[in-house]
Amino acid sequence: MPRELSLAEVFQLGYYWETKILLTAAKLDVFSALDGRARTAAETGAKIGADVRALELLLNALVAIRLLTKSGELYANTPVATTHLVKHSPQYVGHLLLLHDAEWSNWGKLAEAIQSGHSPVTQHVFETDPALGANVLSVLHRIGQQSGPDLAKRLALGHARSMLDLGGGAGTNAIAFCQVYPALSATVFDLPTTLPLTERTVKEVGLEARIALKAGDFNRDSLGGPYDVVLMSDILHYQDLATNAALVKKIHGHLNPDGRLVIKDRFLDASGTSPAWTAAFAVHILVNTERGSCYRTAEAMQWMQDGGYDSIEEIERTAVVQGMRLSAG
Ligand SMILES: C[S@@+](CC[C@H](N)C(=O)[O-])C[C@H]1O[C@@H](n2cnc3c(N)ncnc32)[C@H](O)[C@@H]1O
């Protein structure tokens, strides 16, 4: 039984001021304005176009949060802000904060969404703002490079020669899988607006000869193949249940005999309350996608069952499920 929350913790959960202060500083690009040397509020305000008195309050709060320092009237970035929040830094992660800020107004309609059961949006960010979507994918690619090789090794794909990374984004998994298995070639299938980013990341690691790019809508277009392994990583929570069931069934026809479909996602357990991060993510998906949802592992396994797969199993709890196409049938 988890420990009960204290009243102080309940109040702490209710605070969002510091969150919005950080998101706004990222949106106004305060940290880039302070790059290189310390500046007064007036100098910083002239750079970003802000009211000096109001900006001073924001800068003081950022000092209190420990993202800036203040010496006399001069404000400066802390090392973590210099590395991760200044736009031209190679380790800039601000795109992710800009995404959270862009979704802020959707969260403001949470009560209506809960009452009506309908999301306030009609499209997700990859459709409404492909440039922001691609920037976010590039950040996720940089910070998520360890999980791809771990998954590749756990799946023991030594015999596989062809892989389809469906909705492969920056190609993080296709790259990791090809690096772990030298005999493997991959196809990254994604929207045409995302693939320029994929082209860059694949080129960066010199895998152009082994990773092909295929543009299209995975629900409507032909996926090529057949393949020895198809990976769906973090794509199904944007779609409704019937669309996912149809896509999983469609993939079966694109697998070689003894090929497999691997689904990696943010699944909930049977109670819907765990993992804790995913229980909150499910609410995020409710307000920020039109038809998305966080699904139970059992639902994904049912899509496979209905799609004609064999040897269906949960490889990693609430994270990875797999199904095989055992024969040509
Ligand atoms: C959250 S990202 C996941 C990226 C990658 N699979 C990963 O795990 O890092 C979702 C990806 O699905 C792509 N996508 C969304 N809807 C799509 C569709 N209908 N057809 C093809 N790609 C789609 C987006 O462009 C994006 O790259």
Side-chain angles (χ1 to χ4, degrees):
M1 185 68 179
R3 180 180 67 79
E4 229 186 279
L5 285 182
S6 68
L7 180 58
E9 286 168 320
V10 174
F11 279 129
Q12 191 59 42
L13 272 176
Y15 280 116
Y16 53 80
W17 305 340
E18 292 177 346
T19 303
K20 190 58 174 165
I21 287 166
L22 167 61
L23 299 184
T24 301
K27 184 174 180 182
L28 297 178
D29 210 10
V30 165
F31 305 102
S32 299
L34 290 171
D35 189 35
R37 71 170 175 83
R39 289 189 162 85
T40 62
E43 287 174 314
T44 312
K47 273 182 146 281
I48 65 170
D51 175 84
V52 176
R53 196 191 65 86
L55 177 61
E56 200 168 2
L57 298 176
L58 187 83
L59 295 176
N60 287 339
L62 289 166
V63 173
I65 294 170
R66 290 174 292 145
L67 283 167
L68 299 181
T69 60
K70 185 175 185 184
S71 173
E73 293 308 307
L74 291 174
Y75 296 91
N77 286 322
T78 56
V80 73
T82 301
T83 307
H84 296 296
L85 298 174
V86 171
K87 235 176 200 157
H88 65 72
S89 164
Q91 283 143 288
Y92 178 67
V93 297
H95 298 302
L96 209 48
L97 303 178
L98 298 180
L99 172 68
H100 295 320
D101 197 60
E103 291 168 340
W104 184 265
S105 61
N106 301 338
W107 277 101
K109 297 174 191 140
L110 177 58
E112 290 93 317
I114 299 291
Q115 283 169 328
S116 70
H118 298 299
S119 167
V121 302
T122 53
Q123 287 181 305
H124 60 68
V125 67
F126 292 103
E127 293 162 325
T128 53
D129 191 345
L132 178 59
N135 283 335
V136 169
L137 284 173
S138 71
V139 172
L140 295 178
H141 175 66
R142 232 178 319 108
I143 62 182
Q145 296 208 3
Q146 198 36 48
S147 60
D150 289 348
L151 176 63
K153 285 176 204 153
R154 200 165 340 120
L155 292 172
L157 294 171
H159 61 283
R161 295 292 171 266
S162 57
M163 168 198 189
L164 171 65
D165 188 2
L166 203 64
T172 316
N173 288 305
I175 290 170
F177 278 50
C178 284
Q179 286 172 335
V180 170
Y181 299 107
L184 187 69
S185 292
T187 300
V188 176
F189 187 103
D190 210 298
L191 299 171
T193 43
T194 302
L195 288 181
L197 165 72
T198 324
E199 194 174 1
R200 275 203 306 282
T201 54
V202 168
K203 223 176 195 164
E204 262 165 32
V205 291
L207 280 171
E208 306 95 299
R210 287 171 55 208
I211 300 183
L213 309 182
K214 197 166 166 57
D217 176 334
F218 47 52
N219 294 314
R220 296 203 191 122
D221 299 323
S222 163
L223 306 175
Y227 304 95
D228 295 329
V229 52
V230 176
L231 175 69
M232 294 173 160
S233 168
D234 282 334
I235 60 173
L236 297 183
H237 53 251
Y238 292 107
Q239 310 202 114
D240 64 33
L241 192 135
T243 308
N244 286 341
L247 185 57
V248 167
K249 193 172 194 156
K250 175 177 174 179
I251 298 296
H252 193 267
H254 291 269
L255 282 171
N256 282 321
D258 292 326
R260 68 177 96 171
L261 168 62
V262 178
I263 305 179
K264 176 179 167 292
D265 218 291
R266 319 287 172 151
F267 294 118
L268 287 161
D269 70 359
S271 74
T273 64
S274 171
W277 187 91
T278 309
F281 183 65
V283 181
H284 159 77
I285 287 294
L286 170 75
V287 285
N288 289 297
T289 69
E290 185 186 13
R291 284 183 288 260
S293 184
C294 277
Y295 298 97
R296 310 279 201 276
T297 316
E299 288 173 306
M301 294 171 89
Q302 188 64 50
W303 301 331
M304 289 186 171
Q305 191 88 44
D306 297 342
Y309 292 79
D310 293 287
S311 306
I312 300 161
E313 54 179 324
E314 186 174 15
I315 305 245
E316 186 184 328
R317 195 170 143 68
T318 63
V320 184
V321 297
Q322 166 182 282
M324 309 285 293
R325 173 177 180 158
L326 285 189
S327 66

PDB file of all heavy atoms in Angstrom, residues 214-244:
ATOM      1  N   LYS A 214      10.465   5.739 -46.300  1.00  0.00           N
ATOM      2  CA  LYS A 214       9.243   5.580 -47.094  1.00  0.00           C
ATOM      3  C   LYS A 214       8.190   6.525 -46.527  1.00  0.00           C
ATOM      4  O   LYS A 214       7.854   6.448 -45.338  1.00  0.00           O
ATOM      5  CB  LYS A 214       8.787   4.118 -47.009  1.00  0.00           C
ATOM      6  CG  LYS A 214       7.789   3.712 -48.072  1.00  0.00           C
ATOM      7  CD  LYS A 214       7.673   2.185 -48.104  1.00  0.00           C
ATOM      8  CE  LYS A 214       6.471   1.714 -48.886  1.00  0.00           C
ATOM      9  NZ  LYS A 214       6.389   2.167 -50.267  1.00  0.00           N
ATOM     10  N   ALA A 215       7.685   7.421 -47.376  1.00  0.00           N
ATOM     11  CA  ALA A 215       6.724   8.425 -46.923  1.00  0.00           C
ATOM     12  C   ALA A 215       5.293   7.964 -47.142  1.00  0.00           C
ATOM     13  O   ALA A 215       4.991   7.343 -48.160  1.00  0.00           O
ATOM     14  CB  ALA A 215       6.967   9.737 -47.681  1.00  0.00           C
ATOM     15  N   GLY A 216       4.427   8.256 -46.187  1.00  0.00           N
ATOM     16  CA  GLY A 216       3.018   7.936 -46.378  1.00  0.00           C
ATOM     17  C   GLY A 216       2.250   7.984 -45.069  1.00  0.00           C
ATOM     18  O   GLY A 216       2.790   8.349 -44.030  1.00  0.00           O
ATOM     19  N   ASP A 217       0.976   7.601 -45.182  1.00  0.00           N
ATOM     20  CA  ASP A 217       0.093   7.489 -44.018  1.00  0.00           C
ATOM     21  C   ASP A 217      -0.056   5.990 -43.746  1.00  0.00           C
ATOM     22  O   ASP A 217      -0.564   5.259 -44.603  1.00  0.00           O
ATOM     23  CB  ASP A 217      -1.258   8.126 -44.370  1.00  0.00           C
ATOM     24  CG  ASP A 217      -2.283   7.973 -43.248  1.00  0.00           C
ATOM     25  OD1 ASP A 217      -2.178   7.016 -42.459  1.00  0.00           O
ATOM     26  OD2 ASP A 217      -3.200   8.806 -43.182  1.00  0.00           O
ATOM     27  N   PHE A 218       0.389   5.552 -42.582  1.00  0.00           N
ATOM     28  CA  PHE A 218       0.423   4.085 -42.372  1.00  0.00           C
ATOM     29  C   PHE A 218      -0.962   3.443 -42.309  1.00  0.00           C
ATOM     30  O   PHE A 218      -1.087   2.241 -42.478  1.00  0.00           O
ATOM     31  CB  PHE A 218       1.300   3.670 -41.193  1.00  0.00           C
ATOM     32  CG  PHE A 218       1.121   4.428 -39.891  1.00  0.00           C
ATOM     33  CD1 PHE A 218      -0.114   4.593 -39.300  1.00  0.00           C
ATOM     34  CD2 PHE A 218       2.248   4.923 -39.229  1.00  0.00           C
ATOM     35  CE1 PHE A 218      -0.254   5.266 -38.094  1.00  0.00           C
ATOM     36  CE2 PHE A 218       2.113   5.607 -38.009  1.00  0.00           C
ATOM     37  CZ  PHE A 218       0.866   5.773 -37.452  1.00  0.00           C
ATOM     38  N   ASN A 219      -1.994   4.239 -42.071  1.00  0.00           N
ATOM     39  CA  ASN A 219      -3.337   3.654 -42.047  1.00  0.00           C
ATOM     40  C   ASN A 219      -3.899   3.446 -43.453  1.00  0.00           C
ATOM     41  O   ASN A 219      -4.768   2.610 -43.655  1.00  0.00           O
ATOM     42  CB  ASN A 219      -4.296   4.547 -41.262  1.00  0.00           C
ATOM     43  CG  ASN A 219      -3.921   4.621 -39.788  1.00  0.00           C
ATOM     44  OD1 ASN A 219      -3.641   3.585 -39.176  1.00  0.00           O
ATOM     45  ND2 ASN A 219      -3.880   5.811 -39.239  1.00  0.00           N
ATOM     46  N   ARG A 220      -3.367   4.256 -44.414  1.00  0.00           N
ATOM     47  CA  ARG A 220      -3.976   4.236 -45.751  1.00  0.00           C
ATOM     48  C   ARG A 220      -3.077   3.640 -46.819  1.00  0.00           C
ATOM     49  O   ARG A 220      -3.553   3.028 -47.769  1.00  0.00           O
ATOM     50  CB  ARG A 220      -4.281   5.669 -46.191  1.00  0.00           C
ATOM     51  CG  ARG A 220      -5.299   6.333 -45.324  1.00  0.00           C
ATOM     52  CD  ARG A 220      -5.984   7.464 -46.077  1.00  0.00           C
ATOM     53  NE  ARG A 220      -6.758   8.241 -45.114  1.00  0.00           N
ATOM     54  CZ  ARG A 220      -6.591   9.525 -44.905  1.00  0.00           C
ATOM     55  NH1 ARG A 220      -5.740  10.215 -45.617  1.00  0.00           N
ATOM     56  NH2 ARG A 220      -7.314  10.143 -43.993  1.00  0.00           N
ATOM     57  N   ASP A 221      -1.780   3.857 -46.690  1.00  0.00           N
ATOM     58  CA  ASP A 221      -0.879   3.554 -47.811  1.00  0.00           C
ATOM     59  C   ASP A 221      -0.244   2.175 -47.682  1.00  0.00           C
ATOM     60  O   ASP A 221      -0.215   1.579 -46.598  1.00  0.00           O
ATOM     61  CB  ASP A 221       0.214   4.628 -47.901  1.00  0.00           C
ATOM     62  CG  ASP A 221      -0.391   6.000 -48.153  1.00  0.00           C
ATOM     63  OD1 ASP A 221      -1.383   6.063 -48.906  1.00  0.00           O
ATOM     64  OD2 ASP A 221       0.104   6.992 -47.588  1.00  0.00           O
ATOM     65  N   SER A 222       0.297   1.736 -48.819  1.00  0.00           N
ATOM     66  CA  SER A 222       1.003   0.451 -48.819  1.00  0.00           C
ATOM     67  C   SER A 222       2.305   0.587 -48.034  1.00  0.00           C
ATOM     68  O   SER A 222       2.981   1.616 -48.089  1.00  0.00           O
ATOM     69  CB  SER A 222       1.292   0.054 -50.273  1.00  0.00           C
ATOM     70  OG  SER A 222       2.284  -0.937 -50.274  1.00  0.00           O
ATOM     71  N   LEU A 223       2.638  -0.456 -47.303  1.00  0.00           N
ATOM     72  CA  LEU A 223       3.801  -0.377 -46.412  1.00  0.00           C
ATOM     73  C   LEU A 223       5.019  -1.107 -46.967  1.00  0.00           C
ATOM     74  O   LEU A 223       6.069  -1.151 -46.313  1.00  0.00           O
ATOM     75  CB  LEU A 223       3.443  -0.964 -45.037  1.00  0.00           C
ATOM     76  CG  LEU A 223       2.197  -0.364 -44.378  1.00  0.00           C
ATOM     77  CD1 LEU A 223       1.861  -1.082 -43.086  1.00  0.00           C
ATOM     78  CD2 LEU A 223       2.405   1.127 -44.117  1.00  0.00           C
ATOM     79  N   GLY A 224       4.886  -1.704 -48.149  1.00  0.00           N
ATOM     80  CA  GLY A 224       6.035  -2.407 -48.746  1.00  0.00           C
ATOM     81  C   GLY A 224       6.286  -3.736 -48.054  1.00  0.00           C
ATOM     82  O   GLY A 224       5.407  -4.308 -47.422  1.00  0.00           O
ATOM     83  N   GLY A 225       7.488  -4.217 -48.166  1.00  0.00           N
ATOM     84  CA  GLY A 225       7.842  -5.490 -47.531  1.00  0.00           C
ATOM     85  C   GLY A 225       7.691  -6.672 -48.469  1.00  0.00           C
ATOM     86  O   GLY A 225       7.687  -6.475 -49.693  1.00  0.00           O
ATOM     87  N   PRO A 226       7.522  -7.893 -47.949  1.00  0.00           N
ATOM     88  CA  PRO A 226       7.341  -8.234 -46.534  1.00  0.00           C
ATOM     89  C   PRO A 226       8.644  -8.099 -45.720  1.00  0.00           C
ATOM     90  O   PRO A 226       9.725  -8.097 -46.274  1.00  0.00           O
ATOM     91  CB  PRO A 226       6.874  -9.688 -46.582  1.00  0.00           C
ATOM     92  CG  PRO A 226       7.440 -10.237 -47.851  1.00  0.00           C
ATOM     93  CD  PRO A 226       7.499  -9.103 -48.813  1.00  0.00           C
ATOM     94  N   TYR A 227       8.453  -8.020 -44.391  1.00  0.00           N
ATOM     95  CA  TYR A 227       9.560  -7.775 -43.471  1.00  0.00           C
ATOM     96  C   TYR A 227       9.666  -8.915 -42.449  1.00  0.00           C
ATOM     97  O   TYR A 227       8.687  -9.591 -42.149  1.00  0.00           O
ATOM     98  CB  TYR A 227       9.320  -6.479 -42.695  1.00  0.00           C
ATOM     99  CG  TYR A 227       9.114  -5.270 -43.576  1.00  0.00           C
ATOM    100  CD1 TYR A 227       7.831  -4.839 -43.920  1.00  0.00           C
ATOM    101  CD2 TYR A 227      10.204  -4.546 -44.070  1.00  0.00           C
ATOM    102  CE1 TYR A 227       7.640  -3.725 -44.726  1.00  0.00           C
ATOM    103  CE2 TYR A 227      10.018  -3.427 -44.875  1.00  0.00           C
ATOM    104  CZ  TYR A 227       8.735  -3.033 -45.203  1.00  0.00           C
ATOM    105  OH  TYR A 227       8.550  -1.937 -46.003  1.00  0.00           O
ATOM    106  N   ASP A 228      10.874  -9.054 -41.889  1.00  0.00           N
ATOM    107  CA  ASP A 228      11.079 -10.045 -40.820  1.00  0.00           C
ATOM    108  C   ASP A 228      10.609  -9.504 -39.466  1.00  0.00           C
ATOM    109  O   ASP A 228      10.219 -10.272 -38.584  1.00  0.00           O
ATOM    110  CB  ASP A 228      12.565 -10.414 -40.714  1.00  0.00           C
ATOM    111  CG  ASP A 228      13.050 -11.130 -41.968  1.00  0.00           C
ATOM    112  OD1 ASP A 228      12.223 -11.831 -42.595  1.00  0.00           O
ATOM    113  OD2 ASP A 228      14.236 -10.974 -42.326  1.00  0.00           O
ATOM    114  N   VAL A 229      10.722  -8.187 -39.314  1.00  0.00           N
ATOM    115  CA  VAL A 229      10.252  -7.595 -38.061  1.00  0.00           C
ATOM    116  C   VAL A 229       9.665  -6.212 -38.349  1.00  0.00           C
ATOM    117  O   VAL A 229      10.212  -5.454 -39.138  1.00  0.00           O
ATOM    118  CB  VAL A 229      11.386  -7.543 -36.987  1.00  0.00           C
ATOM    119  CG1 VAL A 229      12.635  -6.897 -37.511  1.00  0.00           C
ATOM    120  CG2 VAL A 229      10.922  -6.825 -35.734  1.00  0.00           C
ATOM    121  N   VAL A 230       8.515  -5.974 -37.729  1.00  0.00           N
ATOM    122  CA  VAL A 230       7.889  -4.652 -37.815  1.00  0.00           C
ATOM    123  C   VAL A 230       7.806  -4.100 -36.392  1.00  0.00           C
ATOM    124  O   VAL A 230       7.349  -4.790 -35.480  1.00  0.00           O
ATOM    125  CB  VAL A 230       6.480  -4.725 -38.439  1.00  0.00           C
ATOM    126  CG1 VAL A 230       5.813  -3.353 -38.425  1.00  0.00           C
ATOM    127  CG2 VAL A 230       6.546  -5.259 -39.865  1.00  0.00           C
ATOM    128  N   LEU A 231       8.263  -2.866 -36.223  1.00  0.00           N
ATOM    129  CA  LEU A 231       8.212  -2.221 -34.908  1.00  0.00           C
ATOM    130  C   LEU A 231       7.234  -1.049 -34.962  1.00  0.00           C
ATOM    131  O   LEU A 231       7.278  -0.235 -35.883  1.00  0.00           O
ATOM    132  CB  LEU A 231       9.608  -1.705 -34.524  1.00  0.00           C
ATOM    133  CG  LEU A 231       9.688  -0.907 -33.219  1.00  0.00           C
ATOM    134  CD1 LEU A 231       9.437  -1.800 -32.004  1.00  0.00           C
ATOM    135  CD2 LEU A 231      11.052  -0.220 -33.081  1.00  0.00           C
ATOM    136  N   MET A 232       6.354  -0.996 -33.965  1.00  0.00           N
ATOM    137  CA  MET A 232       5.491   0.185 -33.774  1.00  0.00           C
ATOM    138  C   MET A 232       5.858   0.758 -32.418  1.00  0.00           C
ATOM    139  O   MET A 232       5.520   0.174 -31.394  1.00  0.00           O
ATOM    140  CB  MET A 232       4.025  -0.232 -33.698  1.00  0.00           C
ATOM    141  CG  MET A 232       3.448  -0.807 -34.946  1.00  0.00           C
ATOM    142  SD  MET A 232       1.794  -1.402 -34.482  1.00  0.00           S
ATOM    143  CE  MET A 232       1.044  -1.480 -36.061  1.00  0.00           C
ATOM    144  N   SER A 233       6.574   1.852 -32.408  1.00  0.00           N
ATOM    145  CA  SER A 233       7.014   2.415 -31.133  1.00  0.00           C
ATOM    146  C   SER A 233       6.359   3.770 -30.891  1.00  0.00           C
ATOM    147  O   SER A 233       6.578   4.721 -31.657  1.00  0.00           O
ATOM    148  CB  SER A 233       8.547   2.551 -31.145  1.00  0.00           C
ATOM    149  OG  SER A 233       8.981   3.333 -30.062  1.00  0.00           O
ATOM    150  N   ASP A 234       5.545   3.830 -29.877  1.00  0.00           N
ATOM    151  CA  ASP A 234       4.893   5.085 -29.466  1.00  0.00           C
ATOM    152  C   ASP A 234       4.084   5.736 -30.582  1.00  0.00           C
ATOM    153  O   ASP A 234       4.175   6.951 -30.803  1.00  0.00           O
ATOM    154  CB  ASP A 234       5.939   6.080 -28.922  1.00  0.00           C
ATOM    155  CG  ASP A 234       6.361   5.731 -27.507  1.00  0.00           C
ATOM    156  OD1 ASP A 234       5.556   5.099 -26.800  1.00  0.00           O
ATOM    157  OD2 ASP A 234       7.487   6.072 -27.114  1.00  0.00           O
ATOM    158  N   ILE A 235       3.313   4.953 -31.296  1.00  0.00           N
ATOM    159  CA  ILE A 235       2.431   5.542 -32.308  1.00  0.00           C
ATOM    160  C   ILE A 235       0.952   5.258 -32.024  1.00  0.00           C
ATOM    161  O   ILE A 235       0.100   6.015 -32.441  1.00  0.00           O
ATOM    162  CB  ILE A 235       2.783   5.065 -33.747  1.00  0.00           C
ATOM    163  CG1 ILE A 235       2.672   3.547 -33.892  1.00  0.00           C
ATOM    164  CG2 ILE A 235       4.160   5.539 -34.161  1.00  0.00           C
ATOM    165  CD1 ILE A 235       2.853   3.073 -35.333  1.00  0.00           C
ATOM    166  N   LEU A 236       0.674   4.170 -31.305  1.00  0.00           N
ATOM    167  CA  LEU A 236      -0.723   3.746 -31.213  1.00  0.00           C
ATOM    168  C   LEU A 236      -1.555   4.584 -30.236  1.00  0.00           C
ATOM    169  O   LEU A 236      -2.775   4.640 -30.354  1.00  0.00           O
ATOM    170  CB  LEU A 236      -0.805   2.261 -30.858  1.00  0.00           C
ATOM    171  CG  LEU A 236      -0.202   1.328 -31.922  1.00  0.00           C
ATOM    172  CD1 LEU A 236      -0.384  -0.127 -31.532  1.00  0.00           C
ATOM    173  CD2 LEU A 236      -0.820   1.594 -33.297  1.00  0.00           C
ATOM    174  N   HIS A 237      -0.907   5.279 -29.288  1.00  0.00           N
ATOM    175  CA  HIS A 237      -1.709   6.068 -28.332  1.00  0.00           C
ATOM    176  C   HIS A 237      -2.291   7.335 -28.962  1.00  0.00           C
ATOM    177  O   HIS A 237      -3.068   8.035 -28.326  1.00  0.00           O
ATOM    178  CB  HIS A 237      -0.929   6.374 -27.039  1.00  0.00           C
ATOM    179  CG  HIS A 237       0.407   6.996 -27.233  1.00  0.00           C
ATOM    180  ND1 HIS A 237       1.592   6.336 -27.008  1.00  0.00           N
ATOM    181  CD2 HIS A 237       0.755   8.232 -27.640  1.00  0.00           C
ATOM    182  CE1 HIS A 237       2.604   7.134 -27.247  1.00  0.00           C
ATOM    183  NE2 HIS A 237       2.132   8.294 -27.633  1.00  0.00           N
ATOM    184  N   TYR A 238      -1.893   7.641 -30.211  1.00  0.00           N
ATOM    185  CA  TYR A 238      -2.502   8.794 -30.911  1.00  0.00           C
ATOM    186  C   TYR A 238      -3.797   8.412 -31.629  1.00  0.00           C
ATOM    187  O   TYR A 238      -4.473   9.282 -32.151  1.00  0.00           O
ATOM    188  CB  TYR A 238      -1.530   9.343 -31.962  1.00  0.00           C
ATOM    189  CG  TYR A 238      -0.301   9.997 -31.376  1.00  0.00           C
ATOM    190  CD1 TYR A 238       0.939   9.378 -31.433  1.00  0.00           C
ATOM    191  CD2 TYR A 238      -0.394  11.241 -30.761  1.00  0.00           C
ATOM    192  CE1 TYR A 238       2.059   9.974 -30.886  1.00  0.00           C
ATOM    193  CE2 TYR A 238       0.717  11.846 -30.206  1.00  0.00           C
ATOM    194  CZ  TYR A 238       1.944  11.211 -30.280  1.00  0.00           C
ATOM    195  OH  TYR A 238       3.043  11.805 -29.736  1.00  0.00           O
ATOM    196  N   GLN A 239      -4.114   7.130 -31.671  1.00  0.00           N
ATOM    197  CA  GLN A 239      -5.225   6.669 -32.524  1.00  0.00           C
ATOM    198  C   GLN A 239      -6.304   5.957 -31.707  1.00  0.00           C
ATOM    199  O   GLN A 239      -6.047   5.496 -30.595  1.00  0.00           O
ATOM    200  CB  GLN A 239      -4.692   5.683 -33.549  1.00  0.00           C
ATOM    201  CG  GLN A 239      -3.472   6.168 -34.306  1.00  0.00           C
ATOM    202  CD  GLN A 239      -3.295   5.438 -35.621  1.00  0.00           C
ATOM    203  OE1 GLN A 239      -3.418   6.043 -36.662  1.00  0.00           O
ATOM    204  NE2 GLN A 239      -3.049   4.147 -35.578  1.00  0.00           N
ATOM    205  N   ASP A 240      -7.489   5.806 -32.336  1.00  0.00           N
ATOM    206  CA  ASP A 240      -8.544   5.105 -31.610  1.00  0.00           C
ATOM    207  C   ASP A 240      -8.369   3.585 -31.729  1.00  0.00           C
ATOM    208  O   ASP A 240      -7.565   3.087 -32.537  1.00  0.00           O
ATOM    209  CB  ASP A 240      -9.943   5.563 -32.052  1.00  0.00           C
ATOM    210  CG  ASP A 240     -10.236   5.239 -33.503  1.00  0.00           C
ATOM    211  OD1 ASP A 240      -9.756   4.210 -34.004  1.00  0.00           O
ATOM    212  OD2 ASP A 240     -10.936   6.029 -34.157  1.00  0.00           O
ATOM    213  N   LEU A 241      -9.147   2.889 -30.922  1.00  0.00           N
ATOM    214  CA  LEU A 241      -8.987   1.445 -30.788  1.00  0.00           C
ATOM    215  C   LEU A 241      -9.218   0.704 -32.110  1.00  0.00           C
ATOM    216  O   LEU A 241      -8.427  -0.172 -32.494  1.00  0.00           O
ATOM    217  CB  LEU A 241      -9.962   0.972 -29.706  1.00  0.00           C
ATOM    218  CG  LEU A 241      -9.779  -0.432 -29.191  1.00  0.00           C
ATOM    219  CD1 LEU A 241      -9.865  -0.445 -27.676  1.00  0.00           C
ATOM    220  CD2 LEU A 241     -10.811  -1.369 -29.765  1.00  0.00           C
ATOM    221  N   ALA A 242     -10.274   1.097 -32.843  1.00  0.00           N
ATOM    222  CA  ALA A 242     -10.598   0.378 -34.088  1.00  0.00           C
ATOM    223  C   ALA A 242      -9.497   0.593 -35.136  1.00  0.00           C
ATOM    224  O   ALA A 242      -9.131  -0.339 -35.870  1.00  0.00           O
ATOM    225  CB  ALA A 242     -11.938   0.868 -34.621  1.00  0.00           C
ATOM    226  N   THR A 243      -8.952   1.809 -35.194  1.00  0.00           N
ATOM    227  CA  THR A 243      -7.880   2.106 -36.158  1.00  0.00           C
ATOM    228  C   THR A 243      -6.639   1.277 -35.822  1.00  0.00           C
ATOM    229  O   THR A 243      -5.968   0.738 -36.714  1.00  0.00           O
ATOM    230  CB  THR A 243      -7.544   3.621 -36.136  1.00  0.00           C
ATOM    231  OG1 THR A 243      -8.748   4.348 -36.310  1.00  0.00           O
ATOM    232  CG2 THR A 243      -6.541   3.988 -37.220  1.00  0.00           C
ATOM    233  N   ASN A 244      -6.339   1.160 -34.530  1.00  0.00           N
ATOM    234  CA  ASN A 244      -5.177   0.361 -34.121  1.00  0.00           C
ATOM    235  C   ASN A 244      -5.368  -1.121 -34.455  1.00  0.00           C
ATOM    236  O   ASN A 244      -4.454  -1.778 -34.946  1.00  0.00           O
ATOM    237  CB  ASN A 244      -4.938   0.511 -32.617  1.00  0.00           C
ATOM    238  CG  ASN A 244      -4.339   1.865 -32.287  1.00  0.00           C
ATOM    239  OD1 ASN A 244      -3.784   2.530 -33.162  1.00  0.00           O
ATOM    240  ND2 ASN A 244      -4.445   2.280 -31.045  1.00  0.00           N
TER     241      ASN A 244
END
